[in-house]
Amino acid sequence: MTLRNRLIVVADTLQRIQLWLAAIALLVLMMVTVADVFLRYLFNAPVRGSYDMVESLLLVFVFNGMAATFFGRRHIVIDLVDSFVGPRATVALVRIADTLSVVCIGLLMWAMRVPAVQAYQYGDIKLELHLPIWVLWAVAFAGLVGTIFCAIVALVARPATTDVGHA
Amino acid sequence: MSPALIGVCGVLVLFALLILRVPVWIALVLVGFFGNVIVLGWQGAFALAGTTPFDVASSYTLSVVPLFILMGEVASESRLSGELFKAARVILSGFRGGLAVATLAASALFGAVSGSSLANAATMTRMALPELRKAGYDDGLATGCIAAGGSTDILIPPSIILVIYAAIAELSVPKLLAAGLIPGLVLTVLYMAVALAIAHLKPHYAPDNETHTLREKIAALREPWQFLALFVVTIGGIYAGVFSPTEAASIGAFGAILLGVLGRRLGLKDLRRAIENSVVVSGVLFVIVMGANLFSFFIVQTHLPDLLLDTARAFNLSGLAVMMTIIVGYILLGCFLEGIGMVLITVPVFQPLIVKFGYDPIWFAIVVVVMVEVGLIHPPVGMNLFVIQAQAPDVKITAIYRGIIPFLVAPLILIVLMFLFPGLALWLPKVLYG
C-alpha cells in the first residue's frame, strides 16, 4: 500500500470515528432535552444542568462533525467558473481551496490557543454542571486536530474532484 | 482609506474569492479575519477569531439547527413523504391539475417537518415525479411543481435558514419562525394557482383522469396524521410558548424517529444514514456561521451600512426605492450565490440600512428568504432544478427551465403582497409574542 493510500485509510477511519462521536453527541443532546421536557412537565423535576449539557454536547458535535465535511470536501462552493475554465484550471482551483482550508483551520486553531489557556488559568466553569471550561476547549482542539489532518489528507492525497456540497 | 471604503473593498474581495471557487466559509473567514486586522489590528482580530468558533459551537440557540436537520432527514428516510403524497393525490383528485396541486400540497406539508429546500425537492422528485409522468403530465410542469414546492420549505417552519438568520441578525428565533408561516402558506396557494392556470391553458400538460369517492377522500385525510402531529407538537409548541426552539426540535427529531420505528418504515440503516447526513450538513453550516460571525463583525466595524445610507440620501432615494434596489440585487445574487451564503453575506450590510429607513427587521428577514427561494428555482443556476435533474437524469434541463419559469411569478406576487400588507409576516409574531 502506498503512503498516499495509507494516509487516506487513516483519515477515513479518523473522520468516521469523529462522525460517530458527533452522532452520539447529537443523540444524547436530543435525549437529554426530551427527558428534561418530560420530567419538567410530568413530575416538575427538570434535568439539572440540561442547558449546560446542550451547549457542551453541541460543541462536541460541531468540532467532531467537521472532520467528515473536510475529508469529503462537502463545503458549499460557487462552481460557476467551472464552465468558463478548463478542467485543469478547475483542479488547480480545488487544490487552492484545499490549501486555504488547511490555512484557515490552522489560523483558527492558532487564535483559539489564547482563550483556551486563559480558561484554564482562570478556572472558568459551567455554572450548572460545574464542568471546567478548559475541558471543552480541549475537546474543541482534539476535534480540530482530526479535522486539520483530514483537510491535509484531502489536499495531498485525495484526487481533486469537482463535486460541490449544498446545504 | 476610510473604514467604510475598507468595508466596500472587503465585500468585493469576498465576491472575487467566491467566484474563484473558494468555499463560502473560507471566503468569509479570510475577509472577516484580515478585514478585522485592518480595522482593529492583529491583537483584536486574533482575539475575535479565537473566541468565535467556540462561541458558535456552544451556542444554545444554534443547537436547533442539527436537531431540525435530523428531524427532516428521518422524515425523508422513513418515507413518510410517500404516504403524504398518496393522501394528497386522493384528496385533491377529480379536477384538472389535481396531481400538480397534490404535489405542491405534499411539498408544503413535508416542509412542515423539514427545514431544507433541497432535501424536499430530492424527496418529492423520488415520490411524485414517477407518478406525475405516469399520469401523462408534461415534464416541465411536473418538475416545475416539485422545484417550486420544495422552495417553500425554507419559509414554512421549521426553517434552518431562518434559525441561522436569527442567530446572525440577533433576532428572536420563535418570532422569525412565526413570521414565515403565513407567507409560506400564501406562496403555496400562489404556486397552486399557477399550476391550475397552466393546466387550464394547456390541458394536454395535465391530463388528470383520477377520481376518488368522498369516502376514499375522507379516509385519506387520516394518512398525514404523523406529519400534522409532528408539526403541531414542535412548531405549535414553540408558538404556544410551551417549548423553547431547542426543546421543540429535540421532541420533533425524537418523535420522527419513534414514528418511523413504530410504523416499521425506519430501519437501522435508514436511521444511520439520516444521522450521518445530519452531521455532515450541520458541519457545513456551522463553519459557515463561524466565518459569517467574523465577516459580520468586520462589516459592523467599517460602518459600511452608514455609507450606503448616506449614498441613498445623497441620491434622494426613498425607503421603497432602496428596498427595490436590494430586491433586484438579490435576484442577481441568486444567479450565482447559494442561499445560506447569500443571507450571511448580505444581511450584515443591508439590515442596518433598511432598519434606518423604518422597515421592520422581521419583515425584511422574510423578504430576504423569499428572494432566496427565488434564487433556488430561477434558471440558470437554481439549486432545486439541479437536484431534480440529478434525481431524474432522463428529464432534460431545458424542460426543467421551461417548466419553472411560470412559477417565478408567484414569489414576486408574494413580495408585492408583503409590501401592501406587511401584516402577512408581522401579524402572527405580534399575536404570539406581542
Side-chain angles (χ1 to χ4, degrees):
Chain A
M1 193 187 269
T2 61
L3 178 64
R4 172 183 282 206
N5 286 341
R6 254 184 239 162
L7 277 173
I8 291 175
V9 169
V10 174
D12 189 35
T13 310
L14 186 66
Q15 62 96 13
R16 277 182 189 284
I17 291 169
Q18 287 196 262
L19 191 142
W20 279 100
L21 279 174
I24 291 165
L26 180 62
L27 291 177
V28 175
L29 189 161
M30 177 185 81
M31 292 311 300
V32 164
T33 314
V34 169
D36 181 46
V37 170
F38 275 93
L39 291 172
R40 189 173 72 219
Y41 281 106
L42 295 180
F43 303 106
N44 199 22
V47 175
R48 249 180 94 103
S50 64
Y51 189 91
D52 280 355
M53 277 191 234
V54 167
E55 288 189 343
S56 306
L57 287 163
L58 183 68
L59 184 130
V60 176
F61 170 79
V62 172
F63 282 110
N64 284 294
M66 282 159 64
T69 309
F70 280 73
F71 185 68
R73 291 200 190 95
R74 296 288 299 269
H75 301 298
I76 296 174
V77 165
I78 314 302
D79 57 354
L80 265 188
V81 75
D82 291 9
S83 47
F84 300 106
V85 298
R88 285 176 69 179
T90 307
V91 167
L93 290 173
V94 172
R95 288 295 182 213
I96 291 170
D98 283 348
T99 311
L100 289 174
S101 210
V102 175
V103 169
C104 282
I105 282 288
L107 180 76
L108 293 179
M109 279 179 80
W110 181 256
M112 283 167 68
R113 110 209 111 75
V114 175
V117 169
Q118 284 173 348
Y120 179 74
Q121 285 171 340
Y122 301 155
D124 298 341
I125 55 164
K126 283 271 176 193
L127 287 177
E128 290 177 338
L129 285 181
H130 299 291
L131 177 74
I133 289 181
W134 68 262
V135 173
L136 296 176
W137 280 97
V139 170
F141 272 100
L144 282 175
V145 168
T147 302
I148 203 165
F149 179 72
C150 289
I152 290 170
V153 171
L155 169 67
V156 299
R158 294 201 68 200
T161 53
T162 54
D163 293 341
V164 291
H166 306 296
Chain B
M1 195 186 283
S2 71
L5 271 178
I6 295 170
V8 172
C9 292
V11 172
L12 293 176
V13 171
L14 181 77
F15 282 114
L17 289 172
L18 291 175
I19 287 166
L20 287 172
R21 225 182 183 286
V22 172
V24 175
W25 84 273
I26 295 176
L28 287 165
V29 166
L30 288 176
V31 173
F33 178 77
F34 287 106
N36 285 322
V37 168
I38 295 169
V39 179
L40 302 171
W42 287 97
Q43 203 178 353
F46 266 111
L48 199 65
T51 50
T52 298
F54 190 91
D55 292 344
V56 168
S58 58
S59 156
Y60 189 85
T61 306
L62 288 173
S63 61
V64 176
V65 172
L67 291 164
F68 273 143
I69 291 175
L70 179 63
M71 180 168 131
E73 290 286 345
V74 169
S76 180
E77 288 292 338
S78 58
R79 291 171 286 280
L80 279 173
S81 47
E83 284 184 11
L84 191 63
F85 178 66
K86 270 187 226 162
R89 73 180 293 175
V90 171
I91 295 162
L92 295 162
S93 64
F95 60 93
R96 190 172 293 283
L99 203 49
V101 173
T103 303
L104 288 161
S107 291
L109 271 172
F110 187 67
V113 295
S114 155
S116 161
S117 172
L118 300 183
N120 190 324
T123 306
M124 292 313 295
T125 306
R126 284 198 300 272
M127 301 297 164
L129 188 61
E131 299 300 321
L132 286 158
R133 294 179 96 184
K134 208 189 293 174
Y137 268 66
D138 170 72
D139 278 352
L141 175 58
T143 53
C145 286
I146 293 168
S151 74
T152 57
D153 206 317
I154 59 170
L155 210 49
I156 295 173
S159 160
I160 304 299
I161 210 164
L162 281 177
V163 173
I164 292 176
Y165 190 112
I168 289 292
E170 294 179 354
L171 297 172
S172 149
V173 173
K175 275 189 180 176
L176 268 194
L177 290 181
L181 182 64
I182 294 175
L185 294 177
V186 170
L187 186 58
T188 305
V189 171
L190 290 170
Y191 281 143
M192 286 175 177
V194 172
L196 288 174
I198 296 169
H200 179 73
L201 293 171
K202 296 187 172 176
H204 58 288
Y205 275 23
D208 286 81
N209 51 15
E210 192 174 317
T211 49
H212 291 273
T213 62
L214 188 63
R215 183 176 287 183
E216 284 172 327
K217 288 185 181 184
I218 291 169
L221 277 172
R222 271 181 263 143
E223 292 297 324
W225 73 268
Q226 297 105 319
F227 270 88
L228 293 176
L230 277 176
F231 183 75
V232 168
V233 170
T234 55
I235 304 305
I238 297 173
Y239 288 175
V242 180
F243 307 131
S244 71
T246 299
E247 290 169 348
S250 294
I251 289 171
F254 180 71
I257 294 171
L258 204 64
L259 286 172
V261 171
L262 292 179
R264 296 189 178 176
R265 283 180 302 263
L266 186 74
L268 207 58
K269 270 187 185 172
D270 304 318
L271 182 59
R272 195 177 142 170
R273 205 165 34 237
I275 294 171
E276 282 183 3
N277 283 343
S278 306
V279 173
V280 173
V281 172
S282 304
V284 170
L285 294 179
F286 271 90
V287 286
I288 292 183
V289 177
M290 288 173 194
N293 266 280
L294 292 177
F295 177 72
S296 175
F297 195 85
F298 162 60
I299 291 297
V300 170
Q301 294 302 310
T302 61
H303 303 289
L304 177 58
D306 291 339
L307 175 74
L308 295 179
L309 184 68
D310 292 342
T311 312
R313 283 185 179 150
F315 283 97
N316 280 329
L317 291 179
S318 64
L320 185 66
V322 170
M323 272 305 299
M324 287 301 161
T325 312
I326 289 174
I327 286 170
V328 171
Y330 273 116
I331 292 174
L332 297 175
L333 279 179
C335 290
F336 67 97
L337 260 187
E338 198 275 341
I340 294 270
M342 198 155 120
V343 165
L344 296 184
I345 291 165
T346 56
V347 168
V349 180
F350 292 147
Q351 184 175 290
L353 178 69
I354 63 98
V355 169
K356 283 183 179 165
F357 273 104
Y359 288 102
D360 189 295
I362 300 268
W363 175 87
F364 179 67
I366 302 304
V367 170
V368 171
V369 173
V370 173
M371 295 320 295
V372 168
E373 282 200 32
V374 174
L376 281 168
I377 59 174
H378 80 59
V381 290
M383 290 295 179
N384 278 14
L385 311 180
F386 294 141
V387 167
I388 292 170
Q389 224 245 334
Q391 299 276 324
D394 55 325
V395 179
K396 286 184 179 167
I397 193 73
T398 45
I400 300 176
Y401 285 169
R402 174 176 52 78
I404 196 64
I405 284 169
F407 287 94
L408 290 171
V409 175
L412 298 178
I413 292 175
L414 177 63
I415 291 288
V416 173
L417 290 175
M418 284 182 64
F419 272 98
L420 295 174
F421 311 105
L424 279 176
L426 297 176
W427 176 77
L428 192 56
K430 196 172 179 186
V431 166
L432 293 173
Y433 307 107

